Amino acid sequence: MSQALDEIKIGGLGASRKRVEDNRFIRGKGNYTDDITLPGMLHMEILRSPLAHARIKSIDASRAWDIPGVHLVLTGEMMATRNLAWMPTLSYDTQAVLATDKVRFQGQEVACVIADDPYIAKDACEAIEVEYEPLPVIVNPEQAVADGAPVIRDDKAGQESNVIFDWEVGDAAGTDRAFEQADVISRLKLHYPRSHPSPIECCGSIADFNRATSKLTVYMTTQAPHIIRAAVALVAELPEHMIRIISPDIGGGFGNKVPVYPGYVCSILASILLERPVKWIEDKSGNLISTGFARDIYLDGEMALRKDGKILGVRMHCDSDHGAFFSDAQPSKFKIGLLHSAFATYDIPFAHLTARGTYSNKAPGGVAYRCSFRVTEAMFFQERMMQAAADDLGMDQADFRRMNFVRDDQFPHRTPFGFLTDSGQYAKCLDVGLKAVDYEGFRREQAEARKHGRLLGLGISTMTEPLGAGNSREYDILGIKMFDSAELKVHMTGKAIVRTGARGQGQGHETTWAQIVSHELGIPADDIVVEEGDTDTAPFGMGTYASRSTPVAGAAVAMVSRKIRAKARKLAAHLLEVSEEDVEWELGRFYVRSAPARGVTIQECAMAAYSNMPDGMEPGLENTAYYDPPNLTWPFAVYIVTVEVDPETGVWDVLKLVAVDDCGVRINPMIVEGQIMGGLTEAYAMANMQFITFDADGNCVGSNYMDYLLPTAWETPGFELHSEVVTPCPHHPIGAKGIGECAAVGGPAAYVNAVLDALSETGVRNIDMPLLPDRVWEAITYRRDVSGAPPVRSDD
Amino acid sequence: MYPSRFRYEAPRSLAEAIGLLHDNGDDAKVLAGGQSLVPLMKLRFASPGLIVDINNIPGLDYHRTDPDGTLRIGALCRHVHLEHSDLLKTSQPTMAAAAPLIADPIVRNRGTLVGSLCHADPQGDWASVVLALGGSVVARGPNGMRSIPLGDFVTGPFQNVLAPDEIAVEAVIPAAQGTRAGGYLKLERRVGDFATVGVAVALEMSGETVTRAGIALTGVGGSTIAARAAGDALTGRPLTAESIGHAADLAAEAARPRTDHRGSAEYKRHMVRTFVTRLLRRAEPAAERAA
Amino acid sequence: MIIIEEEPAGSGVEIPVRRITFTVNGQKKTAEVEPRLLLAHLIRRGLGLTGTHMGCDTTNCGACTVLVDGRPVKSCTMLAVQADGHEIGTVEGLATASELHPLQEGFKEEHGLQCGFCTPGMMLAAKALLDANPDPTEEEVRWALSGNLCRCTGYQNIVKSVLWAAAKLRSEGA
């Protein structure tokens, strides 16, 4: 009779275990970077450029130095004497730490002040006088390559234009042939507006250089502490073993907290010079105007179609605006991230993509917002294109997708751009979604409402997403392979600690990694503590972003648990006085195959590892595993949104939102659902109200929360989530796939498609996000597409 | 996010407050709710040398109706008091409609109506409401009190006629002669956003006849706009589909919107027309049925 | 009574400070502060109560929400000197020595938090709602929390958390 433990009861896979991290957060006892005070700590504030493109004629900081309480004023010139005015980026470019010759975007860091408290530091910043000579401004890719455009990066030898890269992938010849065969060609051009991850907590660091020990400790809002340690070693020319990066609790990341920001570097230098801890916490305006933005990409594509609806080929071109420095954190082989994952959902034989990246006078970035390296753009374009193509063919939106889906029996499936998708049941998910939204019923309701002048609409978005970068053959950042590791130590009483190189910012790793160990070893999850974030103790990892942690770090946790179990098996055999071949495992226990009542618990094995080892065995029960994922994982989702649009005002309301997510095995269903709802809300924000834009002078609109709008509980719709379809990942040790970004990736198109569906009688084919009321109204009233970002100011 | 240095006084009487303002002239600012002033100071768009905090002055947190029907709102009456006011819900439909739309629920716990009028933000919602109702601001200075109609009180964006040593102590809404009707509609993309467009409609009815009509517009000009011609066109007759349409057109003409990231000028003008129409139709359901 | 001494700033320059007396989570405190010090900074730095968070600089996000005389206020938009004579409630005052407040329990039960940064402000705004309205509808909860931004949860579980707490408080009161 089985004595296996009840996996749900002990908090293994599938348990909606309540979160461990909550215990401190609900008490207000979180430990965020700004909560930390070190003895003798000073405070740093940054002076930013008001202009988007200008030569710096002079900087006079004398009045700042005179303010009581000011300890240090840093300028680009001072940084340059230490070779720190510029730093390498994660994309093989360079980025200014403090401006020397020119400022290249509004909000760029020009100087910083370190003082007794931030109020004084701010006073001193205001006392710094900078003389600028304005230069012409570039705010989009078209301007960047126009004749006579000023070269923004004239600091780079050999840079004669504003083009950063030209890149292509796919089969141009095959795609051309496919288009020649087409009965119908659908075209779509769109702009995915500039957006910003904007977690509520801003970025910051406390740098603490200890002259006595020569050790630099930096507390930092970073999603990737080991990458930072390497970057600091490189930039500051300090030895890697004398650098300790501690990422304490993080108030949201979403990709914003991956790059290396000038503020971090300045705080480190200041601490080294002053030999005191220096804290820098930016304000929200600084965060929005200067840190890693996302998207701002122009997509132009065509789809070749047979008249029965079969997709024969796809062509895409994109122009991506990277701002003043190419600083994206993305796998180095792929200049435009994983944009070429587009159309992976469908069985399409030929595709070709070209991409051009350009500089502009805006903050640096492009990849940084719950996007898994531009998969947001890829899937948005995919689903917007699918909608347009279905309309062009006169086909039903669901039927068109269904007939082109990769079929269940086609996995693993090679996409036209060369990815290998792992598993899925796409049609089944679509069925679940359509049933949940009562598709037929809605179409009847929609037709009826139209007779009374009411505009109802339904939008579908189906997507698969490459998550879990990534295999060492293809994926690296600055040459460093993207593996992750986990260290597991089981103590003598059977309690354990697991550490990984991931760094959660709300995903619940302290809860879920323990669940994986629990699943593998039968140790109750409550007996396992999880630690992340301190490079002195955490095994190496490339950090948590791009939904990579469950696929990679989570896999490492499973693998190290299996190493432990393998050793425990040997200990069990020794304790049971049988050979290893006679030992069986059930959750929490080894037993003798021929005499199942005779067994030992995992806890007894642990004790034996310290007190009763077989001859020749190393004592202890601790290990580390390093996981190089064989492939990415590919979750699938169907998002269906129904809306009502007020034709008089252009305001649209969500009536219902159904989400069907298949992310393989769910470690903690409650946490998975939380991630989906968060992503759907960010998708809603992007579709509805959230954007950053610039006027002709490069002034940024959307650099504070009055203009950069996040929805509140009042506007945000409710969500109906479905988890019936579970297709395990065939190559992941516990069959799990990533999930964190799926809804942010697939969600926006569902909302946009719904509004356009409501407007279908007007013939409007595209409204670029955000679908602000005035833009929807313009589309309805003039029966025309509305393109581009909202204009800033034009007096008429 | 850190204001520059200033001196601070928290007087316990109006006389003391006025004295402090008198002694410090242009360099002093009155602090009531602080929900407009403190954010400006944090961004260093305002750096007064002296802050005169009037929150400790007793007897200013009222809102009440005089026996003759005049509504008086004291300088420390917070938005939240007005939002939950039974008085407003039963007798001041335009005000009751606007109160929940001011900023967000937390800001409403501190911000004041009088302070909002003094701040004179062209995006301010209360200004449209009070303008439509024909209200005034009562100011007190060393030389006594004066009552200033709101249309004269605001002279431009963030500019009012108060002398440096005057404090606004009260807003006054004159008594209605007829039955009040009306409301406030605000197009905001999310709670706490500035109005893309806001419209206040304040009517007085005698039977089916409109005896007084005030219409004022938020966010469609350099300051709050009184759509006088629109109001005049409604007065002295019943509300009909035709009169409503005409008034809506006049109100849209009175608007001076600018195209910006919230919307085109054309759209904003259209929204003025739409909101005026909707508010007037609600006031006269018969007109809505006929429409 | 606890006296908090202001750190000496700079080299011997006299900066005028003001002495204020207030209570925080039921404890009486006295402090000497510059008038320009924001209440949020008095709470975080002066009192070391870092559960109140700073999230923005335009009075929008509500992460800094505390209770002043029982009413939610954005502490970043109030001067510390204005706390003189008033009662401040922060997240640290929600639990007793032995028990969590039902709101805290509710947020944990219903997964109402992920990164935790907006959570203290949310709970205090919710507390004020439940103090005034013990049986709110979902709509009333969303309305009451519309001054607090969350980036992680999508609000649905936050609403469930508050309703869970409301039910528990009602059953305890019964």
Side-chain angles (χ1 to χ4, degrees):
Chain A
M1 173 155 130
S2 169
Q3 294 184 46
L5 298 172
D6 180 330
E7 180 155 6
I8 298 294
K9 272 218 180 89
I10 65 167
L13 290 186
S16 282
R17 183 178 178 227
K18 302 290 181 260
R19 294 193 343 153
V20 168
E21 30 286 80
D22 288 358
N23 293 327
R24 60 186 185 275
F25 294 145
I26 57 178
R27 288 174 170 81
K29 296 287 185 206
N31 193 39
Y32 304 93
T33 301
D34 194 24
D35 296 345
I36 297 168
T37 301
L38 300 178
M41 191 171 77
L42 299 170
H43 296 262
M44 188 178 107
E45 285 289 307
I46 290 179
L47 176 69
R48 299 182 179 280
S49 164
L51 298 176
H53 198 199
R55 213 161 287 289
I56 297 178
K57 292 174 71 180
S58 66
I59 301 183
D60 180 0
S62 51
R63 286 201 303 125
W65 279 102
D66 286 339
I67 292 178
V70 169
H71 292 256
L72 179 63
V73 180
L74 285 174
T75 62
E77 201 180 322
M78 293 167 70
M79 304 292 280
T81 64
R82 292 169 178 82
N83 226 18
L84 277 172
W86 291 83
M87 61 179 176
T89 71
L90 295 173
S91 284
Y92 295 107
D93 193 0
T94 51
Q95 174 174 354
V97 176
L98 291 179
T100 49
D101 54 334
K102 293 198 309 191
V103 290
R104 292 173 169 87
F105 65 93
Q106 186 183 53
Q108 183 178 354
E109 301 83 354
V110 172
C112 59
V113 175
I114 294 89
D116 286 340
D117 74 52
Y119 287 73
I120 295 173
K122 189 70 183 177
D123 292 340
C125 280
E126 302 268 299
I128 299 174
E129 284 162 28
V130 186
E131 222 185 317
Y132 295 102
E133 185 187 290
L135 296 168
V137 170
I138 290 172
V139 289
N140 60 50
E142 203 183 322
Q143 286 178 348
V145 298
D147 284 335
V151 175
I152 296 171
R153 296 301 306 278
D154 50 354
D155 59 287
K156 293 176 73 167
Q159 182 78 34
E160 282 163 18
S161 74
N162 292 311
V163 175
I164 305 172
F165 62 81
D166 283 299
W167 194 73
E168 75 174 286
V169 66
D171 177 356
T175 305
D176 285 344
R177 281 195 307 273
F179 273 79
E180 283 158 23
Q181 321 255 327
D183 297 318
V184 176
I185 295 179
S186 285
R187 293 187 169 84
L188 186 67
K189 254 176 107 147
L190 56 82
H191 176 230
Y192 203 133
R194 189 172 177 112
S195 199
H196 191 286
S198 191
I200 305 293
E201 183 205 29
C202 302
C203 298
S205 57
I206 306 174
D208 183 14
F209 181 70
N210 185 329
R211 175 65 64 192
T213 61
S214 298
K215 188 145 184 184
L216 172 70
T217 303
V218 189
Y219 297 83
M220 187 189 285
T221 54
T222 176
Q223 300 172 229
H226 291 92
I227 295 183
I228 296 293
R229 184 178 66 185
V232 170
L234 199 65
V235 170
E237 290 174 0
L238 291 167
E240 198 179 355
H241 67 300
M242 298 306 286
I243 300 170
R244 179 184 186 191
I245 307 295
I246 301 175
S247 177
D249 289 327
I250 304 184
F254 312 116
N256 186 223
K257 293 168 175 158
V258 177
V260 181
Y261 293 123
Y264 302 149
V265 177
C266 291
S267 70
I268 290 170
L269 177 64
S271 181
I272 292 171
L273 292 174
L274 296 169
E275 296 184 16
R276 289 173 69 168
V278 173
K279 174 188 270 192
W280 167 66
I281 305 289
E282 67 183 356
D283 51 31
K284 185 61 71 190
S285 301
N287 177 257
L288 288 172
I289 207 173
S290 76
T291 63
F293 76 91
R295 325 279 194 266
D296 205 352
I297 189 169
Y298 297 81
L299 294 152
D300 187 352
E302 306 180 294
M303 185 175 261
L305 296 150
R306 212 167 57 196
K307 58 176 180 282
D308 68 343
K310 179 93 181 86
I311 303 171
L312 302 176
V314 173
R315 271 190 200 123
M316 283 172 69
H317 174 74
C318 86
D319 286 299
S320 63
D321 186 333
H322 291 268
F325 311 108
F326 186 32
S327 66
D328 292 345
Q330 65 188 7
S332 69
K333 279 198 169 57
F334 307 116
K335 294 289 179 220
I336 198 67
L338 301 184
L339 185 70
H340 58 303
S341 63
F343 299 98
T345 314
Y346 305 104
D347 180 16
I348 300 175
F350 295 102
H352 186 238
L353 181 151
T354 54
R356 162 172 278 194
T358 52
Y359 288 118
S360 67
N361 292 116
K362 304 175 184 173
V367 166
Y369 180 15
R370 214 158 184 171
C371 68
S372 193
F373 316 119
R374 291 205 189 269
V375 181
T376 32
E377 292 89 312
M379 292 302 153
F380 182 73
F381 187 76
Q382 171 188 293
E383 289 303 298
R384 291 287 303 112
M385 183 85 244
M386 292 300 283
Q387 168 116 339
D391 282 344
D392 290 345
L393 290 166
M395 271 187 82
D396 173 80
Q397 292 287 338
D399 290 343
F400 176 57
R401 284 174 174 78
R402 187 196 306 279
M403 78 167 283
N404 283 291
F405 274 157
V406 175
R407 288 192 322 271
D408 295 4
D409 60 6
Q410 287 181 292
F411 292 103
H413 170 74
R414 185 72 61 185
T415 77
F417 287 126
F419 288 101
L420 193 68
T421 55
D422 58 3
S423 65
Q425 298 177 71
Y426 296 177
K428 187 168 173 198
C429 288
L430 182 60
D431 288 340
V432 170
L434 294 174
K435 179 155 181 246
V437 84
D438 186 12
Y439 189 63
E440 312 284 322
F442 182 83
R443 289 294 183 208
R444 282 194 299 273
E445 201 190 329
Q446 180 182 37
E448 192 55 40
R450 201 162 268 144
K451 293 181 191 156
H452 302 283
R454 287 176 57 216
L455 302 180
L456 303 186
L458 182 147
I460 300 175
S461 173
T462 68
M463 64 112 237
T464 184
E465 202 194 338
L467 298 181
N471 182 272
S472 55
R473 283 188 313 273
E474 284 194 294
Y475 292 90
D476 67 84
I477 292 183
L478 285 182
I480 309 301
K481 304 300 182 185
M482 296 182 73
F483 63 95
D484 255 66
S485 52
E487 170 198 84
L488 177 58
K489 298 181 176 179
V490 181
H491 310 316
M492 66 181 77
T493 56
K495 313 289 195 270
I497 179 166
V498 63
R499 295 189 173 100
T500 79
R503 189 37 187 146
Q505 324 100 39
Q507 294 92 330
H509 293 171
E510 290 172 45
T511 306
T512 54
W513 294 163
Q515 293 183 247
I516 297 178
V517 176
S518 191
H519 167 75
E520 297 288 340
L521 292 176
I523 298 176
D526 287 347
D527 286 352
I528 304 162
V529 72
V530 177
E531 280 186 4
E532 289 180 337
D534 182 341
T535 57
D536 267 7
T537 52
F540 187 85
M542 288 296 269
T544 296
Y545 44 87
S547 305
R548 62 186 298 274
S549 287
T550 290
V552 190
V557 172
M559 299 311 283
V560 73
S561 302
R562 291 176 191 180
K563 287 189 184 182
I564 297 287
R565 196 168 78 220
K567 184 168 185 180
R569 177 186 287 275
K570 292 180 163 44
L571 288 158
H574 171 67
L575 290 172
L576 292 166
E577 294 172 328
V578 297
S579 75
E580 236 190 290
E581 297 82 62
D582 294 332
V583 171
E584 292 277 7
W585 164 258
E586 59 184 2
L587 191 64
R589 175 177 186 262
F590 293 100
Y591 61 92
V592 179
R593 186 183 305 110
S594 54
R598 286 192 59 222
V600 286
T601 64
I602 186 73
Q603 288 80 9
E604 287 167 320
C605 295
M607 179 56 79
Y610 294 82
S611 62
N612 184 1
M613 300 82 64
D615 286 339
M617 176 189 274
E618 282 187 59
L621 195 56
E622 304 179 349
N623 216 324
T624 308
Y626 302 87
Y627 189 74
D628 182 0
N631 190 4
L632 305 172
T633 69
W634 295 80
F636 176 79
V638 174
Y639 302 116
I640 305 181
V641 176
T642 58
V643 300
E644 175 156 7
V645 180
D646 180 338
E648 267 198 308
T649 63
V651 172
W652 52 276
D653 291 314
V654 173
L655 301 172
K656 191 165 188 179
L657 190 152
V658 165
V660 184
D661 281 271
D662 178 3
C663 56
V665 170
R666 297 186 175 199
I667 301 169
N668 183 320
M670 177 187 81
I671 287 181
V672 168
E673 292 192 343
Q675 293 297 303
I676 295 167
M677 289 192 284
L680 289 171
T681 305
E682 286 183 329
Y684 176 70
M686 284 186 273
N688 195 331
M689 63 180 71
Q690 187 182 283
F691 69 97
I692 295 178
T693 192
F694 294 81
D695 70 10
D697 296 323
N699 292 309
C700 179
V701 173
S703 65
N704 58 64
Y705 271 176
M706 289 189 299
D707 289 320
Y708 190 70
L709 300 182
L710 311 186
T712 73
W714 185 246
E715 298 81 37
T716 304
F719 313 111
E720 180 184 311
L721 306 183
H722 288 260
S723 54
E724 297 93 305
V725 186
V726 178
T727 315
C729 174
H731 63 76
H732 188 281
I734 57 168
K737 304 184 181 184
I739 184 61
E741 294 164 320
C742 291
V745 166
Y751 296 103
V752 175
N753 284 346
V755 174
L756 289 171
D757 183 59
L759 271 49
S760 57
E761 308 250 295
T762 62
V764 170
R765 195 176 167 77
N766 184 48
I767 305 173
D768 276 340
M769 297 192 289
L771 270 58
L772 298 169
D774 74 301
R775 290 154 72 84
V776 175
W777 176 83
E778 181 187 334
I780 296 171
T781 305
Y782 292 103
R783 299 180 159 240
R784 67 182 178 216
D785 288 359
V786 179
S787 301
V792 180
R793 182 178 288 267
S794 74
D795 299 294
D796 43 70
Chain B
M1 157 155 94
Y2 307 102
S4 33
R5 274 203 185 102
F6 53 85
R7 289 166 293 122
Y8 172 88
E9 296 291 344
R12 299 202 165 261
S13 73
L14 270 174
E16 196 186 337
I18 291 166
L20 284 164
L21 292 177
H22 183 72
D23 293 341
N24 288 275
D26 271 333
D27 200 31
K29 286 286 280 179
V30 170
L31 175 68
Q35 304 300 287
S36 300
L37 179 60
V38 173
L40 283 181
M41 292 171 66
K42 284 161 66 179
L43 295 173
R44 302 202 178 197
F45 293 152
S47 296
L50 170 69
I51 290 293
V52 178
D53 183 346
I54 62 168
N55 284 285
N56 296 310
I57 300 175
L60 290 177
D61 58 350
Y62 59 88
H63 73 285
R64 61 169 178 263
T65 314
D66 288 350
D68 70 355
T70 305
L71 174 65
R72 296 184 185 279
I73 301 143
L76 290 177
C77 177
R78 316 274 175 190
H79 305 307
V80 70
H81 300 145
L82 300 170
E83 184 184 357
H84 294 121
S85 162
D86 286 329
L87 176 60
L88 257 51
K89 282 175 188 149
T90 52
S91 64
Q92 295 281 359
T94 307
M95 295 191 73
L101 300 177
I102 311 296
D104 68 54
I106 305 185
V107 168
R108 290 200 287 277
N109 282 324
R110 293 288 298 172
T112 64
L113 179 148
V114 173
S116 168
L117 296 179
C118 291
H119 187 58
D121 187 341
Q123 296 283 155
D125 300 303
W126 279 130
S128 292
V129 171
V130 173
L131 201 57
L133 287 165
S136 317
V137 174
V138 174
R140 210 189 236 190
N143 303 320
M145 292 206 339
R146 58 176 180 138
S147 178
I148 311 153
L150 191 66
D152 300 329
F153 181 75
V154 175
T155 54
F158 307 101
Q159 290 160 344
N160 65 50
V161 296
L162 289 175
D165 56 6
E166 275 183 309
I167 296 183
V169 294
E170 191 178 64
V172 177
I173 308 293
Q177 307 308 315
T179 316
R180 289 200 188 278
Y184 187 74
L185 286 176
K186 176 179 182 179
L187 179 66
E188 55 178 1
R189 296 164 294 171
R190 69 113 204 248
V191 169
D193 189 16
F194 289 120
T196 300
V197 170
V199 172
V201 166
L203 304 176
E204 291 175 29
M205 314 285 294
S206 177
E208 299 223 329
T209 307
V210 176
T211 54
R212 189 189 171 279
I215 299 179
L217 314 176
T218 311
V220 286
S223 54
T224 314
I225 291 178
R228 289 212 171 78
D232 291 343
L234 291 170
T235 310
R237 60 185 59 132
L239 286 172
T240 62
E242 207 190 338
S243 73
I244 289 173
H246 185 48
D249 286 341
L250 288 170
E253 269 170 46
R256 295 188 308 275
R258 304 185 83 165
T259 294
D260 63 17
H261 57 283
R262 286 196 184 86
S264 64
E266 186 200 357
Y267 173 73
K268 294 179 184 181
R269 222 180 274 280
H270 161 77
M271 283 308 299
V272 167
R273 185 180 291 108
T274 303
F275 277 172
V276 170
T277 306
R278 288 185 179 184
L279 285 166
L280 290 174
R281 281 191 192 153
R282 277 186 214 170
E284 184 39 76
E288 178 162 17
R289 282 196 297 277
Chain C
M1 180 138 131
I2 298 173
I3 298 171
I4 300 166
E5 306 254 331
E6 176 86 340
E7 276 176 36
S11 43
V13 171
E14 269 286 333
I15 291 160
V17 293
R18 198 175 171 90
R19 194 179 182 82
I20 56 173
T21 310
F22 53 98
T23 65
V24 172
N25 301 326
Q27 278 201 319
K28 193 168 179 204
K29 308 267 187 196
T30 303
E32 290 187 353
V33 298
E34 269 198 86
R36 65 169 170 166
L37 183 74
L38 301 176
L39 177 60
H41 292 141
L42 171 65
I43 290 169
R44 287 179 54 76
R45 300 198 189 127
L47 301 173
L49 297 170
T50 55
T52 301
H53 300 138
M54 305 290 285
C56 78
D57 48 6
T58 47
T59 314
N60 290 109
C61 78
C64 65
T65 302
V66 299
L67 298 176
V68 176
D69 301 331
R71 281 227 138 101
V73 166
K74 296 189 182 187
S75 63
C76 71
T77 310
M78 190 166 154
L79 303 174
V81 288
Q82 292 185 283
D84 193 21
H86 292 278
E87 289 177 14
I88 311 292
T90 71
V91 60
E92 290 89 345
L94 272 179
T96 65
S98 51
E99 263 183 17
L100 290 174
H101 189 280
L103 274 166
Q104 292 169 303
E105 289 183 298
F107 270 75
K108 183 167 176 181
E109 282 298 313
E110 296 288 356
H111 191 33
L113 64 146
Q114 292 181 22
C115 82
F117 203 72
C118 77
T119 308
M122 284 286 179
M123 290 193 298
L124 292 174
K127 178 172 190 303
L129 167 72
L130 296 183
D131 285 346
N133 179 356
D135 193 3
T137 62
E138 176 180 337
E139 220 180 60
E140 286 169 328
V141 174
R142 285 178 177 269
W143 184 251
L145 298 182
S146 60
N148 295 80
L149 295 177
C150 172
R151 206 60 168 139
C152 295
T153 67
Y155 302 107
Q156 185 156 300
N157 280 353
I158 291 178
V159 173
K160 284 164 88 173
S161 303
V162 175
L163 294 174
W164 187 100
K168 178 149 195 221
L169 282 164
R170 284 197 307 273
S171 76
E172 280 176 354

